[in-house]
Amino acid sequence: NDVYCSASRYGSFNETLLGKAINYAVERNGFIKNLWQKEEEYKYLFDNNPNPLLTWDVSTLRFMMANKAAVDFYGWSAEEFIKRKVTDLFDGEELADSKGSLVERLQTDTYINNKKQVKGNNQNCVVDLVLKDAVLNGVSSRIMLVNDITERQKANDFFDYAKIGPITAIVNHILSAADAAWVISTYNNK
C-alpha cells in the first residue's frame, strides 16, 4: 500500500521546496498554538481584572461579555448583560452629552471622564471610562474599562462647596443686612 509519486504525473520533484513547505507547516502550527495560548491569557486577564470590563458590538451596541467585576459592580448577571446595550448604563441626560453624542464618543474616544451611570439597582454612580477597539470572534467591538469615581466626585463636590459655601454665606449675610437697611431707610423716609 505504498504511495509512489510519478515525476511524469506531478511534475519534477523538488526536495528544497518540499522542505520549505514542511517547515512552513510546522511554524504555522506553532504560531496558531501561540495565538490560542495568548487568547487564553487575555481571556484570563479580562475575566479576573479587578476593574469592571465590558465589551460590546460596535454595530448593535449590544454587550458581548462582562467580567466578574462588572457583574458585581452593576448588579446584573453576565447573561443579563448580553441582553442589554451599552446605552442602558447611562441616564437620558448623559446620552445628550454637551460635547457631542455620547454614543459617538463611546464608539470613537479612548477616554471619557466624569459620566453618570445607573446601576442595575437604579443606584447612580460617576465613572471614568477607558475604551479600546477590538475584534472578538470576527466582530468589530469595543472594550470598556470602568473606573468608579463616585466617592472622589462626592469629595470634590464637598470641597468645592466648602470653598464657596462660606463666601456665599458672607455675601448672603451682607445682602440681607443691606436689604434690611434699605427697608428701614425706606420706611423711615415715608
Side-chain angles (χ1 to χ4, degrees):
N1 293 25
D2 291 337
V3 178
Y4 296 97
C5 294
S6 163
S8 62
R9 183 173 178 188
Y10 296 104
S12 62
F13 180 74
N14 185 333
E15 291 177 6
T16 306
L17 189 58
L18 178 62
K20 286 181 179 182
I22 291 171
N23 191 32
Y24 169 77
V26 169
E27 286 178 4
R28 184 173 184 273
N29 283 341
F31 180 72
I32 290 171
K33 183 179 176 183
N34 282 341
L35 280 177
W36 283 111
Q37 186 177 4
K38 291 287 184 204
E39 183 177 333
E40 288 299 315
E41 288 172 9
Y42 285 123
K43 177 93 171 95
Y44 177 84
L45 289 173
F46 180 88
D47 290 338
N48 295 291
N49 194 305
N51 293 309
L53 286 171
L54 302 159
T55 62
W56 74 86
D57 181 325
V58 170
S59 62
T60 65
L61 301 178
R62 290 217 173 274
F63 286 113
M64 297 170 70
M65 292 190 315
N67 72 351
K68 182 177 177 347
V71 167
D72 293 343
F73 180 70
Y74 288 104
W76 294 314
S77 69
E79 293 78 26
E80 288 175 304
F81 265 110
I82 302 304
K83 296 175 186 174
R84 297 184 180 278
K85 292 183 175 188
V86 67
T87 52
D88 294 340
L89 298 177
F90 300 91
D91 64 14
E93 261 181 50
E94 288 297 335
L95 290 175
D97 188 295
S98 62
K99 294 181 183 175
S101 166
L102 180 59
V103 174
E104 281 181 30
R105 294 187 66 209
L106 287 167
Q107 303 241 20
T108 58
D109 291 8
T110 56
Y111 182 75
I112 301 174
N113 66 327
N114 205 25
K115 288 293 160 200
K116 294 176 188 160
Q117 289 188 334
V118 181
K119 295 182 182 184
N121 60 4
N122 288 326
Q123 180 183 10
N124 292 324
C125 61
V126 182
V127 297
D128 286 346
L129 307 171
V130 179
L131 303 122
K132 176 90 173 95
D133 290 331
V135 176
L136 298 171
N137 300 324
V139 176
S140 181
S141 58
R142 294 216 82 192
I143 299 174
M144 179 171 71
L145 181 139
V146 179
N147 184 21
D148 182 12
I149 62 164
T150 306
E151 295 304 316
R152 183 178 79 193
Q153 189 62 40
K154 286 178 184 176
N156 285 345
D157 292 347
F158 173 78
F159 286 115
D160 285 346
Y161 176 77
K163 290 177 197 169
I164 297 171
I167 295 169
T168 304
I170 291 168
V171 169
N172 284 339
H173 183 69
I174 292 169
L175 291 175
S176 294
D179 284 347
W182 180 80
V183 168
I184 291 170
S185 68
T186 304
Y187 180 76
N188 286 339
N189 289 336
K190 288 187 176 185

